[in-house]
Amino acid sequence: MNDFRHRFITSTVLLMTYMFLDKGAAQDFTKALIWTTYSSAGQPQLKLLYGNPVTYVPDIANGRNGSYFQYNLPFYFGIGALDMLYSGAYIYYYQNMILTYSDQLIDPTKTQPSYVADVPAFSNAVTGISIDWVSSLIYWSDASYQRICMFEYTLRGFWRSVVDTNLTSPQDVVVYPQQSLLFWSDIGDKSGIERFDLATDDRRILLSSPTFQRPTKLVVDFANQRLFWLDASAATIGSMNFDGSGVSSWPPSSTFSSISSFALFQDYVFLGRNDSNVIYIYDRNQQYKANITQEGKGIIDMTVYSQERNPSVDSPCAMGTGSCAQFCITVNSTQRRCMCGMGLFLASNEVDCVTKPMQVDKFLLLTDPGQINIFQISVDTGEVRALTNKYEWPYPTALAFDPSQNYLYYFDKRTLVIRRTSMDGTVSTTLPNVTSALGSDITSLAFDSENQVLFYVDYTAEAISAMYLLNRSFVNIYSPAGSRPRTIILDTSNRLLYWSDCGYNTIERGSMTNPNTTRMVIILGLSACVVTFAIDFQNETIFWADASGTIEKAMLDGTARSVVYQDPNAAFTGLALDAQFIYIAASNKRQIQKIDRNTKQLSNLTKILFTQPFALLYYPADSPPAVKSASVGSTPSSDSSPVSLTPSSADSSGSSTLTPVTIIIVASVISGAAVLIAVFVTVGFVVAKRRRAASRKNSPPVVIVNPHPYETLNGDRRDGSDPRVFSNEPSYATEILSPRYLSIKYPSGRHSILPPPYEDGREYAIIE
């Protein structure tokens, strides 16, 4: 169970919680009526009335309520649907953003339930839960995304959508594993009850409008093989056979008008109202027998804990998974059906799950640690394929792609290694001898195919490093104090590295081999951390998404900045581009969406819902054009371009000697004509001491960082302005934008931002 907890508790997605019922106490705790409710103060609670529910009627008639206990649940969550698993004594319940289970509820010595683990539900509207105790599956209805899902609750943790078409507002779901039947109710435009045969995929409507108005709750009568439903709007309870025949219902009653839940046990029906603290007990002939008065507010959901609700069933899925690679569905006592997770296909042996990558020219790649997989997505059709058939896929987050060899590189957050796998999932290895220096949070990967170098961001170590795969070595190429790089992109044509920095809230660039000395700030003044970005090199445009839910764009020189899209509730994790669309992934959106770059219209690319979408890449990636003029580290001549800083050398004698200007001209001859192809200018100088005004007047502009914030370098006090930074040229006005950034205004009126870090007392030359 520990590995299960490690895998899913670390997830930030929506979860299901389950609890364990300890049957070891002296009292008879083999049966209990369980319900979810709120206290009078609004505290979510799980309540249990222990003992055989059949004895409740005479006990309550004699003024006894039996052994009654309540457990307070986290106050900041709502409470909802629940079900139980007798084997292992688990209670599963949904609590708003959490669907979870815990242990030892049935022990009256416990004042709080003991938490066991989480089961992913990935929705904020789980309206029903049903446990298949035979095949080790959990089913739940999801009104938020209009689907019915299932989860394999052993340590492997696979899950998938079972039905996600022609649903409007599914309310409850129940399973009858003895015949592999799944039932659900829907109260949307197509109000009714449907049945799905898990063995054959046969789907049929059993009852529909106007038979009833609002079928909210379903209960299976295992002893008599009938399906009961609650129609709160019609104020009645009905039942039918599993094929839809033999329909009968109770006459409407005002007592049932606000019934929100009910449970069956033997000859009794337990009814809970959402506006009352009373549970009503009737027999099956609709004769009132007694009621249970509880403290607090209305009843949300209820169930009966008893082995009679989980009868013993012979099944090839009962022990393990019946040899199925992922899902095992019971057909009968000797037959089973294997199923696969999202984007995978059942192999010809009808046991294994295989991947089939799409042979398309354009696609997206997505990591989904919640699904424990990497996916390929067609940008034309939205079709999704999984890229691995591994039984225990790790926790993939950061992702890079090497198209020259069709290799995927990803960071496994569970084992803290970087792995390489082929697109078809048949080859998977851990990068050798280079991963010992990895931190616990690698947030971005980028691959240089030509030189076989993998760049990665270690967010914990606040560094960018490079793995040289040919000689199996690595080097830390960028880790200045105060910086916290988050995402990286390579411009291999010009040997440039772009990165977002969450320490300074900037987007910057520098040389791929030594970004610190050639560092340039491209985008400054961001209000939040840039979690992902993409570059259209052909149009020299950069797009980025920040932690505030805003997507912006600008030219690569920082100009023409504008907002593309805003959603304060979006938790963006990935962004990719093609010529027409911006593709976005958000951990709380579940679908991959796209924004038209011209109209800014948002639409869904995928119908399939992901669990925890993370890194997003587009193939084929935009090919950066080679720079024709400026060398690496130089600054284009745009009026708003960034500025680069390089340390200047100080003359130890204190003289104002200026080193010569060196000009290197490289020419070649084509058809007998000399053509000038490049001019590189290197300027060196030494700044004179500030007391030599005449020399200073003719020196190149220099920014000097003062180690004494409230004194000039001459020792004079400066009040009313920040004296930390000076220029030796008065026409070059300087100011502090923040403790880490400088702004310089040139005589031409152009502004530039000087990137950090700075060393106090050092002189930095401005290369225009």
Side-chain angles (χ1 to χ4, degrees), residues 257-290:
S257 61
S258 296
I259 296 295
S260 57
S261 63
F262 76 107
L264 296 177
F265 188 76
Q266 296 181 4
D267 293 330
Y268 292 94
V269 180
F270 301 85
L271 304 173
R273 295 169 60 103
N274 58 14
D275 61 351
S276 171
N277 62 348
V278 177
I279 296 176
Y280 300 91
I281 304 176
Y282 286 76
D283 64 19
R284 297 203 182 200
N285 295 319
Q286 202 179 355
Q287 297 299 310
Y288 170 79
K289 293 298 182 180

Side-chain angles (χ1 to χ4, degrees), residues 29 61 149 217 288 335 380 416 435 445 490 517 566 571 607 643 663 667 674 709 732 738 763:
F29 294 138
C149 301
K217 179 70 177 177
Y288 170 79
Q335 293 180 303
D380 293 325
L416 304 183
T435 58
L445 300 176
L490 298 180
T517 59
Q566 283 183 306
K607 177 177 177 57
V643 66
I663 302 178
Y732 285 73
S738 77
E763 300 175 351

Side-chain angles (χ1 to χ4, degrees), residues 473-509:
S473 64
F474 71 92
V475 61
N476 185 329
I477 63 172
Y478 179 77
S479 57
S483 178
R484 196 162 195 189
R486 173 65 173 77
T487 305
I488 53 175
I489 290 178
L490 298 180
D491 175 355
T492 55
S493 297
N494 301 300
R495 312 306 298 166
L496 290 175
L497 173 70
Y498 292 80
W499 68 92
S500 63
D501 193 314
C502 292
Y504 302 125
N505 286 346
T506 58
I507 300 177
E508 308 179 25
R509 82 175 185 196

Side-chain angles (χ1 to χ4, degrees), residues 171-405:
Q171 286 301 292
D172 200 8
V173 60
V174 292
V175 63
Y176 187 72
Q178 294 94 321
Q179 296 181 20
S180 64
L181 296 178
L182 192 68
F183 304 89
W184 66 85
S185 61
D186 196 318
I187 63 171
D189 296 337
K190 300 178 180 179
S191 180
I193 296 176
E194 293 189 65
R195 188 188 80 178
F196 184 77
D197 191 326
L198 293 161
T200 64
D201 291 341
D202 176 61
R203 178 179 176 180
R204 64 181 63 183
I205 298 174
L206 299 182
L207 290 176
S208 61
S209 301
T211 303
F212 30 40
Q213 302 174 25
R214 191 178 176 85
T216 54
K217 179 70 177 177
L218 301 179
V219 175
V220 171
D221 180 351
F222 292 97
N224 299 296
Q225 295 190 16
R226 286 182 68 83
L227 179 68
F228 281 72
W229 71 85
L230 168 68
D231 189 340
S233 296
T236 186
I237 291 176
S239 68
M240 62 182 168
N241 297 321
F242 288 164
D243 61 0
S245 64
V247 177
S248 65
S249 61
W250 289 5
S253 170
S254 59
T255 303
F256 304 148
S257 61
S258 296
I259 296 295
S260 57
S261 63
F262 76 107
L264 296 177
F265 188 76
Q266 296 181 4
D267 293 330
Y268 292 94
V269 180
F270 301 85
L271 304 173
R273 295 169 60 103
N274 58 14
D275 61 351
S276 171
N277 62 348
V278 177
I279 296 176
Y280 300 91
I281 304 176
Y282 286 76
D283 64 19
R284 297 203 182 200
N285 295 319
Q286 202 179 355
Q287 297 299 310
Y288 170 79
K289 293 298 182 180
N291 64 63
I292 302 169
T293 302
Q294 55 123 16
E295 297 179 355
K297 299 181 179 179
I299 313 300
I300 308 303
D301 197 8
M302 69 170 64
T303 190
V304 173
Y305 173 77
S306 170
Q307 189 171 11
E308 294 181 32
R309 292 194 58 243
N310 288 175
S312 177
V313 177
D314 292 332
S315 167
C317 299
M319 299 300 294
T321 60
S323 74
C324 293
Q326 294 191 357
F327 298 98
C328 183
I329 305 297
T330 299
V331 176
N332 53 45
S333 60
T334 60
Q335 293 180 303
R336 53 99 176 98
R337 178 193 183 188
C338 296
M339 298 177 67
C340 298
M342 184 173 72
L344 293 172
F345 298 85
L346 196 64
S348 58
N349 62 9
E350 297 186 347
V351 172
D352 294 324
C353 296
V354 298
T355 179
K356 297 179 181 179
M358 290 177 283
Q359 304 301 315
V360 293
D361 296 330
K362 301 179 295 180
F363 57 83
L364 295 169
L365 293 170
L366 173 73
T367 57
D368 186 342
Q371 283 279 10
I372 323 173
N373 219 321
I374 301 172
F375 295 96
Q376 179 190 30
I377 305 168
S378 169
V379 297
D380 293 325
T381 65
E383 182 182 357
V384 176
R385 300 280 181 92
L387 296 181
T388 176
N389 58 358
K390 300 297 181 184
Y391 293 178
E392 292 189 5
W393 193 252
Y395 199 87
T397 52
L399 178 69
F401 180 49
D402 178 9
S404 66
Q405 302 185 51

Side-chain angles (χ1 to χ4, degrees), residues 153 506 529 690:
Y153 61 71
T506 58
C529 167
R690 293 178 62 85

Side-chain angles (χ1 to χ4, degrees), residues 432-565:
N433 301 331
V434 296
T435 58
S436 59
L438 287 180
S440 61
D441 195 7
I442 305 302
T443 55
S444 184
L445 300 176
F447 195 74
D448 178 0
S449 298
E450 180 180 357
N451 298 291
Q452 291 294 292
V453 180
L454 180 68
F455 293 81
Y456 65 91
V457 175
D458 189 331
Y459 195 66
T460 304
E462 302 178 353
I464 301 175
S465 299
M467 293 183 181
Y468 294 85
L469 302 186
L470 297 180
N471 60 9
R472 298 185 177 184
S473 64
F474 71 92
V475 61
N476 185 329
I477 63 172
Y478 179 77
S479 57
S483 178
R484 196 162 195 189
R486 173 65 173 77
T487 305
I488 53 175
I489 290 178
L490 298 180
D491 175 355
T492 55
S493 297
N494 301 300
R495 312 306 298 166
L496 290 175
L497 173 70
Y498 292 80
W499 68 92
S500 63
D501 193 314
C502 292
Y504 302 125
N505 286 346
T506 58
I507 300 177
E508 308 179 25
R509 82 175 185 196
S511 164
M512 286 172 58
T513 56
N514 193 356
N516 193 40
T517 59
T518 56
R519 186 176 177 188
M520 298 181 184
V521 176
I522 298 174
I523 307 295
L524 181 71
L526 298 170
S527 59
C529 167
V530 172
V531 294
T532 180
F533 70 98
I535 299 177
D536 178 352
F537 286 103
Q538 297 297 329
N539 295 295
E540 298 183 355
T541 308
I542 183 171
F543 295 78
W544 67 90
D546 63 30
S548 71
T550 301
I551 297 177
E552 296 185 72
K553 71 174 183 177
M555 302 301 292
L556 278 179
D557 61 6
T559 61
R561 179 175 167 182
S562 62
V563 173
V564 176
Y565 175 77

